Amino acid sequence: MRVKVLSRNPDDYVRETKLDLQRVPRNYDPALHPFEVAREYVRALNATKLERVFAKPFLSSLDGHRDGVNCMAKHPKSLSTLLSGACDGEVKIWNLTKRQCIRTIQAHEGFVRGMCVRFCGTSFFTVGDDKTVKQWKMESPEYGEEEEPIHTILGKTVYTGIDHHWKEPVFATCGHQVDIWDEQRTSPKCSLTWGFDSISSVKFNPIETYLLGSCASDRNIVLYDMRKSTPLKKVILNMRTNTLCWNPMEAFIFTAANEDYNLYTFDMRFLESPVMVHMDHVSAVLDVDYSPTGKEFVSASFDKSIRIFPVDKGHSREVYHTKRMQHVITVKWTSDNKYILCGSDEMNIRLWKANASEKLGVLAPREKAAMNYNQKLKEKFQFHPQIRRIAQHRHLPKSIYCQIKEQRIMREARRRKELNRRKHSKPGSMPFVSERKKHIVAVVK
């Protein structure tokens, strides 16, 4: 009599020590898995639920400032170094690994309006309400040495922003006009102006480094070319733009944070309409910063929350808030693409995870494989109603929730009014205007 017996090589499934993970035999023959899709759907559902369970984005708060945090700057060479400026003229340098303040400077009288670090990371610049531009050493002074700036430039007007060139010893300030400075000189190389209003923000392009953009309080976004010493073109929006940020991966894309609760991503070659309108905030957007991958950006708003938007989506994928967080003035995405820092009115800098449910620390190879597998499953079933509902659900503060509801009603009323007008007007007399073009007043070249 012949008996058929299953024979397996013990090396394939027996653990070497009891600390090892159990090995699971797996047959990849599709004929043996008739319920594969159903099983994968359940796994995707569980992965989505677990993602929401483990979503704990808040890591810590850096407290020490005695007034609201008005601006922040990243160190180009050191991931663990952060600089912050407050409304009382104080500048603090933080060590993010220890989560401690390592140096405090009384830099200005009045607000610190802007900060930037030199491209080599050896020094940094600050501007304030006392009409001065100051350059400081990054290292702490020696024992017994006074805390003094390397250079001080006295200006005629208040400077509201500053940004450093990415490769050359040149920096730009803004206020009454945009000034381009050489580090060795006390007077600007050239002054650029277009219009007669105060300019709130100026930013150099990280790729095409001779380009820079500025936002003015007369609703303009102006682009300049440093080589020509003249403005290139400007776009006028319905409401004022507070600041802009260039995409670090695509030279011609920038995102503007506007007072009308929206963010606009523009292609600088075609300013007639934005590439994307990002709508979710319920109050003025005060700051924006791109992730180093250029695929996402984070925005800070007056509505006491920060949101993370994919570049190609109109709505945010994530909203972060705490009970104590007040109006968020400034926000930065760290250079390793893992963390987000935000500074707010109530004197705190908060550290968040960029992916709310991401596990910090070293991952085992099997853990990493399981996470990648779950991610692919979530992408495969992302449009299924149940999974979509769980993935998109967010807890919001009551004030934001009520304002979103109110704005939805107002938007619906405007749409209905427009439909009624069109219905009772002569055909063709009321053209359709897309959402992207509604907010643009004019483009001047």
Side-chain angles (χ1 to χ4, degrees):
M1 188 172 97
R2 187 177 292 172
V3 179
K4 287 187 179 176
V5 181
L6 282 175
S7 67
R8 286 188 185 149
N9 183 2
D11 293 346
D12 294 338
Y13 65 95
V14 175
R15 295 184 294 173
E16 288 180 13
T17 70
K18 65 179 181 181
L19 297 174
D20 284 354
L21 293 167
Q22 284 281 7
R23 294 186 185 178
V24 183
R26 175 98 193 272
N27 193 327
Y28 290 95
D29 183 6
L32 298 174
H33 299 283
F35 301 115
E36 189 181 13
V37 175
R39 197 181 290 121
E40 281 189 346
Y41 168 72
V42 171
R43 284 176 185 165
L45 190 63
N46 289 339
T48 310
K49 286 178 182 174
L50 285 172
E51 185 188 41
R52 297 313 316 142
V53 167
F54 292 124
K56 292 181 172 56
F58 180 69
L59 292 172
S60 74
S61 83
L62 311 172
D63 48 341
H65 277 295
R66 291 170 294 181
D67 210 333
V69 181
N70 198 48
C71 55
M72 293 194 298
K74 292 185 285 191
H75 194 290
K77 300 283 173 77
S78 165
L79 280 175
S80 60
T81 307
L82 176 80
L83 296 92
S84 63
C87 298
D88 59 354
E90 199 174 60
V91 169
K92 282 184 180 285
I93 301 177
W94 302 88
N95 184 329
L96 293 178
T97 29
K98 294 178 182 173
R99 297 177 192 176
Q100 286 174 351
C101 173
I102 52 175
R103 189 170 159 212
T104 304
I105 307 164
Q106 188 58 45
H108 295 276
E109 292 168 20
F111 283 40
V112 179
R113 289 288 173 188
M115 312 174 73
C116 66
V117 183
R118 201 171 185 269
F119 60 92
C120 61
T122 53
S123 62
F124 64 93
F125 295 82
T126 60
V127 292
D129 277 356
D130 52 5
K131 301 181 184 177
T132 57
V133 181
K134 293 184 181 179
Q135 184 181 5
W136 306 83
K137 271 187 188 170
M138 192 60 78
E139 284 82 37
S140 303
E142 298 293 324
Y143 181 73
E145 204 179 321
E146 285 289 312
E147 183 78 84
E148 284 182 349
I150 307 169
H151 298 301
T152 303
I153 299 168
L154 287 168
K156 296 185 179 70
T157 56
V158 173
Y159 297 111
T160 53
I162 185 168
D163 196 32
H164 202 284
H165 195 281
W166 290 78
K167 288 174 184 171
E168 293 169 21
V170 171
F171 64 92
T173 59
C174 63
H176 178 60
Q177 60 193 12
V178 172
D179 292 324
I180 310 289
W181 304 77
D182 193 306
E183 284 180 13
Q184 307 303 320
R185 292 170 59 179
T186 53
S187 58
K189 282 204 309 185
C190 67
S191 296
L192 307 160
T193 182
W194 193 354
F196 302 97
D197 229 316
S198 61
I199 296 160
S200 58
S201 165
V202 63
K203 291 283 167 72
F204 274 101
N205 191 319
I207 303 167
E208 301 292 349
T209 48
Y210 48 82
L211 288 176
L212 62 157
S214 73
C215 315
S217 52
D218 56 357
R219 305 175 300 161
N220 288 346
I221 299 172
V222 188
L223 302 176
Y224 308 94
D225 191 332
M226 213 170 69
R227 299 167 301 181
K228 290 166 74 177
S229 304
T230 54
L232 287 175
K233 46 182 162 180
K234 71 174 174 182
V235 56
I236 306 167
L237 278 76
N238 275 333
M239 287 182 81
R240 186 165 67 105
T241 301
N242 287 314
T243 185
L244 60 87
C245 186
W246 294 93
N247 189 323
M249 288 292 160
E250 293 180 86
F252 35 80
I253 300 286
F254 66 90
T255 297
N258 205 278
E259 283 281 323
D260 64 0
Y261 316 168
N262 297 340
L263 293 114
Y264 300 99
T265 298
F266 283 96
D267 186 326
M268 63 171 280
R269 301 166 298 178
F270 315 107
L271 290 175
E272 287 73 24
S273 76
V275 177
M276 187 61 69
V277 180
H278 309 275
M279 317 163 81
D280 259 346
H281 281 295
V282 291
S283 196
V285 188
L286 301 179
D287 199 12
V288 59
D289 192 39
Y290 264 92
S291 73
T293 58
K295 291 182 178 177
E296 291 181 320
F297 61 84
V298 61
S299 63
S301 171
F302 201 73
D303 63 14
K304 307 176 187 176
S305 70
I306 61 173
R307 287 181 181 267
I308 302 172
F309 290 87
V311 175
D312 54 350
K313 299 276 194 311
H315 293 282
S316 62
R317 72 159 174 88
E318 201 66 75
V319 55
Y320 293 161
H321 56 86
T322 67
K323 279 186 180 175
R324 294 185 180 186
M325 190 153 81
Q326 293 302 309
H327 313 306
V328 191
I329 309 294
T330 175
V331 72
K332 284 278 176 275
W333 198 309
T334 57
S335 304
D336 61 350
N337 197 31
K338 277 193 179 294
Y339 306 103
I340 287 165
L341 291 139
C342 70
S344 48
D345 256 358
E346 84 309 330
M347 306 178 278
N348 262 351
I349 296 167
R350 288 185 172 80
L351 181 66
W352 308 84
K353 286 193 275 190
N355 289 322
S357 57
E358 185 181 27
K359 188 185 171 188
L360 298 178
V362 181
L363 294 179
R366 281 184 66 160
E367 240 177 337
K368 208 177 279 182
M371 279 172 60
N372 291 340
Y373 176 59
N374 286 341
Q375 190 58 40
K376 285 294 174 198
L377 285 179
K378 282 184 283 190
E379 282 172 24
K380 183 176 177 180
F381 292 96
Q382 64 183 329
F383 297 112
H384 193 282
Q386 193 76 352
I387 288 176
R388 192 176 182 179
R389 184 185 65 78
I390 294 165
Q392 288 185 349
H393 178 76
R394 294 289 179 279
H395 170 75
L396 291 170
K398 193 176 179 183
S399 58
I400 295 180
Y401 182 77
C402 293
Q403 280 175 288
I404 286 174
K405 212 152 79 171
E406 192 180 311
Q407 282 181 12
R408 195 181 295 130
I409 294 165
M410 286 158 66
R411 208 160 38 237
E412 190 56 40
R414 278 199 296 270
R415 196 183 65 84
R416 206 164 46 243
K417 189 175 182 181
E418 197 179 315
L419 282 172
N420 289 342
R421 272 197 184 148
R422 193 169 279 116
K423 196 191 290 180
H424 299 289
S425 301
K426 196 166 77 174
S429 61
M430 281 191 70
F432 285 94
V433 181
S434 71
E435 184 64 46
R436 294 180 187 185
K437 291 192 176 175
K438 271 181 195 170
H439 310 278
I440 307 297
V441 176
V443 177
V444 187
K445 292 181 183 177

